[in-house]
Amino acid sequence: MKINLNVTKSNTISAFLAGILVHGTQVGMGVLGFQRVIAKEAGHDAWISVILAGLVTHVTVWIIIKTLQKYPSADLYGIQEDVFGRWLGTGISLLYLTYFFISAGVILRSYIEVVQTWVFPNLPTWILSGIILFLVYYTIVGGIRVIAGYTFFSIMVTIWLLCDLYFPLQYAHWEYLFPIMDSSLENLFKGMLAMSLTSVGFEVIYVVYPFVENKDRVNKSTQWAVLVTYLAYLLIMLVSLVFFSQGQLMRTIWATLNLHKMVYLPVLERFELVVISLWLIVILPNIMLYLWCSARGLKRLFGFNLRTSLNWIMPLIYITSLTVFTRLEMNMINDWYGKTSMYVAFLYPYFLYIMVLLKQRTQPAKSTSKGESA
């Protein structure tokens, strides 16, 4: 495997779209119910945990970009082979592409659970999963430009949903936020860790980076993307804390959907059903980009083209999605995934950055390869 990639101009995207991809991947299923798991640890100071998690994410993204900038145009798979050698690097890359695959599977199964709980209780899983994965496959084969374009479209179509928070604010109890800093630093830290399931997604820049044309602007665009993401999380968390009492929030699995139940329109009574339908547009970029990163891993490691890689991945994730999970089992899966993503997305980048520094003190980066397609 060549370490650096020489991507043709027709397959590149701008740094702005790279930031859009990071933001689109960070906003997913976790937004619908992240309040409960954080408030469980930090109480009414959960909004402080969100701010702390945002600061840590900004630093982690900076470390990731600094790691990538040590190479002319390398992705995660090439860097790991350069640092750890062929066999160990391949093994770690296999674990990482498996993580990307599992991330897509968790998001897919979580959305199906929400649809079956709130909208269509008798809808067979195989139908909804098949429809979603067909849309995902159709977009991925178009390449990174098509994925980026759809992600930008999904943000523009759904960003207005934040305005609906005005309705529950009419019933806000601001005294629920006091006293401030009532929780211990340990609980605030635990709340920050609980944000890991919601705030991951920025690690996809590891794979997207070689396809960015103006790489000198990637850090700025991704940092802005993370800032916008956490401002949205902070707003949703504050509204949830002043609307729900602590007891109510502990019993509410999908707090964001319950907030949307407060939207009353003359022609529409259950607005949360509209939100759930529109949320398909939100989670599609998550699944697309995670599976694209996983397929890119198979291409880089074994030389498969994108379609061949997807022909291996898509049937596997479809079969996996048909597994029937109870609410308790889904909670256990989400908890396990949250803990795993904390290590993969938040801790591993620091270790990799140190290893890259040590490696490049003794050996320069390898030459670039021929043009790559997305």
Side-chain angles (χ1 to χ4, degrees):
M1 181 201 306
K2 296 294 183 180
I3 304 305
N4 293 291
L5 300 174
N6 183 21
V7 180
T8 58
K9 188 176 180 60
S10 60
N11 290 314
T12 58
I13 60 175
S14 65
F16 170 76
L17 286 178
I20 289 293
L21 288 174
V22 170
H23 173 73
T25 312
Q26 281 193 292
V27 178
M29 290 304 301
V31 181
L32 299 182
F34 74 102
Q35 302 95 318
R36 179 176 62 90
V37 294
I38 303 174
K40 181 180 179 181
E41 303 293 346
H44 59 262
D45 287 327
W47 62 275
I48 301 177
S49 293
V50 174
I51 295 176
L52 294 176
L55 295 176
V56 172
T57 303
H58 277 291
V59 176
T60 305
V61 169
W62 182 79
I63 288 294
I64 291 175
I65 300 301
K66 293 294 290 185
T67 304
L68 293 166
Q69 288 176 343
K70 294 296 181 181
Y71 295 82
S73 185
D75 61 3
L76 174 68
Y77 305 111
I79 292 174
Q80 289 180 151
E81 181 165 321
D82 181 52
V83 172
F84 301 111
R86 180 181 179 184
W87 297 109
L88 180 58
T90 299
I92 297 175
S93 294
L94 283 173
L95 292 176
Y96 221 106
L97 70 86
T98 302
Y99 162 76
F100 286 137
F101 174 85
I102 293 175
S103 299
V106 170
I107 295 169
L108 174 63
R109 195 63 187 84
S110 297
Y111 180 73
I112 292 175
E113 181 196 18
V114 170
V115 172
Q116 291 175 333
T117 302
W118 286 74
V119 188
F120 301 114
N122 298 320
L123 178 65
T125 302
W126 65 270
I127 293 179
L128 185 56
S129 179
I131 294 173
I132 294 174
L133 291 178
F134 171 77
L135 296 173
V136 168
Y137 179 86
Y138 182 76
T139 306
I140 292 178
V141 294
I144 189 63
R145 280 191 165 188
V146 177
I147 297 174
Y150 177 82
T151 305
F152 179 78
F153 165 79
S154 70
I155 294 173
M156 293 298 101
V157 169
T158 57
I159 193 171
W160 62 271
L161 290 174
L162 285 174
C163 300
D164 299 331
L165 297 177
Y166 162 77
F167 290 90
L169 273 179
Q170 298 178 80
Y171 306 95
H173 297 273
W174 295 99
E175 64 273 15
Y176 288 168
L177 294 177
F178 299 98
I180 297 176
M181 290 295 295
D182 186 47
S183 300
S184 65
L185 291 177
E186 180 183 359
N187 289 335
L188 291 176
F189 179 75
K190 289 180 179 179
M192 181 187 71
L193 295 181
M195 274 290 294
S196 60
L197 175 61
T198 304
S199 58
V200 295
F202 55 87
E203 68 275 13
V204 298
I205 198 66
Y206 267 134
V207 186
V208 173
Y209 183 78
F211 296 90
V212 181
E213 184 176 2
N214 45 342
K215 294 180 173 58
D216 56 315
R217 300 181 181 178
V218 171
N219 185 53
K220 182 178 180 180
S221 63
T222 51
Q223 294 291 358
W224 272 107
V226 172
L227 177 61
V228 171
T229 300
Y230 272 94
L231 286 176
Y233 287 148
L234 181 60
L235 175 62
I236 296 172
M237 175 59 77
L238 285 171
V239 174
S240 301
L241 290 174
V242 299
F243 179 78
F244 297 104
S245 67
Q246 285 296 300
Q248 290 172 330
L249 196 55
M250 291 302 99
R251 297 190 299 269
T252 305
I253 299 175
W254 294 294
T256 305
L257 289 179
N258 280 274
L259 291 177
H260 284 292
K261 290 178 69 174
M262 301 307 298
V263 179
Y264 293 103
L265 300 175
V267 296
L268 185 62
E269 183 175 352
R270 298 194 60 187
F271 186 75
E272 72 275 11
L273 301 184
V274 176
V275 174
I276 294 172
S277 302
L278 286 175
W279 215 254
L280 175 61
I281 301 176
V282 175
I283 61 104
L284 279 176
N286 294 209
I287 303 173
M288 290 172 187
L289 202 54
Y290 276 130
L291 290 183
W292 179 82
C293 291
S294 185
R296 282 291 305 172
L298 291 177
K299 180 178 181 179
R300 293 280 279 144
L301 296 177
F302 305 110
F304 300 149
N305 60 40
L306 186 64
R307 288 181 180 269
T308 302
S309 300
L310 289 175
N311 289 339
W312 283 91
I313 292 173
M314 300 304 285
L316 183 59
I317 193 172
Y318 178 70
I319 294 173
T320 304
S321 69
L322 300 183
T323 306
V324 179
F325 295 108
T326 64
R327 173 91 287 269
L328 180 61
E329 290 171 334
M330 284 302 301
N331 274 337
M332 294 175 60
I333 292 172
N334 287 332
D335 290 342
W336 173 85
Y337 174 71
K339 293 177 182 178
T340 302
S341 62
M342 180 184 66
Y343 292 106
V344 174
F346 285 95
L347 296 181
Y348 180 70
Y350 295 90
F351 171 73
L352 183 61
Y353 180 62
I354 294 173
M355 296 303 296
V356 168
L357 292 178
L358 294 175
K359 174 70 176 181
Q360 293 197 343
R361 283 187 177 182
T362 59
Q363 182 179 343
K366 298 180 181 179
S367 60
T368 59
S369 66
K370 296 181 179 180
E372 282 275 341
S373 64

